[in-house]
Amino acid sequence: MQSIYWVLSWACHRKCKHCYDDRFRPYVRDALKAVVGEGQAAHEKILSNLPDDMRWTDKATGQTGRTNLILAGGELLIDGVREELFYPTLRAIKTRWGEQAPKISIQTTGDVLTPERLDACLALGVESIAIASIDDFHVGMTGEKKFRFMEDMRALMASRGVSEVSLGGEKSKKLKMPDARATRPDGPTFLFFGAQEDLWIGELWPRGRAWSNGLSNADYETNFCARWSGGKNFLHLGEAASEIAIEPDGSVYPCCLKTKAALGKLTEERLADILHSVAQLPEIQAINRGDPEAMTGDRAAFRAMSSAVDGKGRTVENMCLGCDHYFEHHLGDALKELREKRLAARQLA
């Protein structure tokens, strides 16, 4: 894959009103141990079932690159997660692939990133750090506060030789890099992004607290499936522009938004086997084309199931809602049947 987005834990020190999954929130004491324990029990099995060759190829140009393995939460750097799950996973990645390891990227809000924790990340092989809180939704980042925070982060990164790169699309001069240096430096890098129109996603996914708080402004013309982190090209193992998402228990999804049923679990079987199996379903092929409207074979019928009432009482139309409905009422059963057949075949073998 070109990219694998792996949520290691649901534990977070924040409960942001725009978050796409209600499970991202603070946990304490036994609840924290339980939620981190899910990732502890699964991470080595997940790693063993990812491809041995963590590279991708662009068939059109011949360009090749290392898979970008993005580790995220929640927040990986908080107490109870950092030493217990995050650092052990970084060590396990090195054990699994050695010098052929994928490029390790992490996402963090940045407010818990201390010099000591940054040093530990770099020593354990982290090559890219995304500071994903540059918006007005994160408490403490509203208005000018986010820009002062960015300067503090830039100073910390500069002290460790970590170079800034750009996500692209920044409209505000305050969000742009402070100079026009090359955006492909040697060594570790960092970037800023957040939930706003010119730094990642302005419409917000119709998911989680963003949905219950009525914050998603996506309409039917907003096709998240065809965007990066959507489902487009997810079946193309080993090729450019392919990405899948993994939950802490090993559940695999074609997109970071997550369909209403998983494709399979990496604690049970190899990613290649899961993708090869589900590819036989025409609905999955439609997602792979970034065209969820084609899942039912009747575009008008799909649109009719693509509306729902959000937390503000608004009726919202979006293809993700139609995909949710179809997975819940039809495709989830087909995926379950395929999984049971695969596991039965493994037992016989």
Side-chain angles (χ1 to χ4, degrees), residues 13 87 90 95 114 139 193 216 225 228 233 240 246 251 257 305 323 333 337 340-341 344:
H13 60 310
Y87 291 168
L90 291 176
T95 299
T114 64
V139 175
F193 78 98
S216 175
C225 196
W228 186 250
N233 296 323
I246 308 171
S251 296
L257 288 73
M305 66 176 71
C323 180
D333 288 340
E337 183 178 344
E340 289 172 350
K341 288 181 178 178

Side-chain angles (χ1 to χ4, degrees), residues 180-347:
R181 289 173 295 182
T183 59
R184 299 176 68 181
D186 295 329
T189 62
F190 77 101
L191 60 83
F192 295 107
F193 78 98
Q196 56 190 52
E197 185 176 357
D198 57 353
L199 262 185
W200 177 47
I201 178 173
E203 306 97 327
L204 295 180
W205 292 336
R207 287 288 187 279
R209 290 191 289 274
W211 178 255
S212 60
N213 289 322
L215 296 175
S216 175
N217 291 318
D219 58 21
Y220 196 74
E221 305 307 315
T222 307
N223 185 357
F224 292 118
C225 196
R227 298 182 181 182
W228 186 250
S229 291
K232 188 175 182 180
N233 296 323
F234 85 94
L235 289 174
H236 297 172
L237 188 66
E239 297 183 25
S242 58
E243 182 180 47
I244 52 100
I246 308 171
E247 287 192 344
D249 69 349
S251 296
V252 180
Y253 297 86
C255 58
C256 288
L257 288 73
K258 295 191 290 290
T259 50
K260 284 294 183 179
L263 305 176
K265 292 185 72 170
L266 287 174
T267 52
E268 299 173 336
E269 49 186 335
R270 297 185 306 165
L271 176 62
D273 294 337
I274 294 171
L275 296 184
H276 178 75
S277 171
V278 302
Q280 66 187 274
L281 299 174
E283 298 94 336
I284 294 297
Q285 289 292 343
I287 293 174
N288 188 63
R289 296 193 300 272
D291 185 14
E293 197 180 46
M295 290 174 68
T296 66
D298 184 336
R299 292 181 183 274
F302 184 86
R303 181 159 189 168
M305 66 176 71
S306 297
S307 65
V309 178
D310 71 7
K312 283 186 176 178
R314 304 178 304 165
T315 298
V316 177
E317 267 196 322
N318 184 259
M319 292 184 190
C320 289
L321 300 174
C323 180
D324 289 347
H325 184 278
Y326 193 73
F327 263 77
E328 282 187 293
H329 296 280
H330 302 283
L331 196 54
D333 288 340
L335 289 169
K336 181 180 179 181
E337 183 178 344
L338 284 177
R339 172 177 169 268
E340 289 172 350
K341 288 181 178 178
R342 293 193 306 270
L343 295 180
R346 283 173 61 89
Q347 277 194 327

Side-chain angles (χ1 to χ4, degrees), residues 7 19 28 47 106 132 136 160 180 196 211 222 245 277 303 343:
V7 171
C19 190
V28 297
L47 289 171
I106 66 168
D136 290 337
R160 296 320 196 254
Q196 56 190 52
W211 178 255
T222 307
S277 171
R303 181 159 189 168
L343 295 180

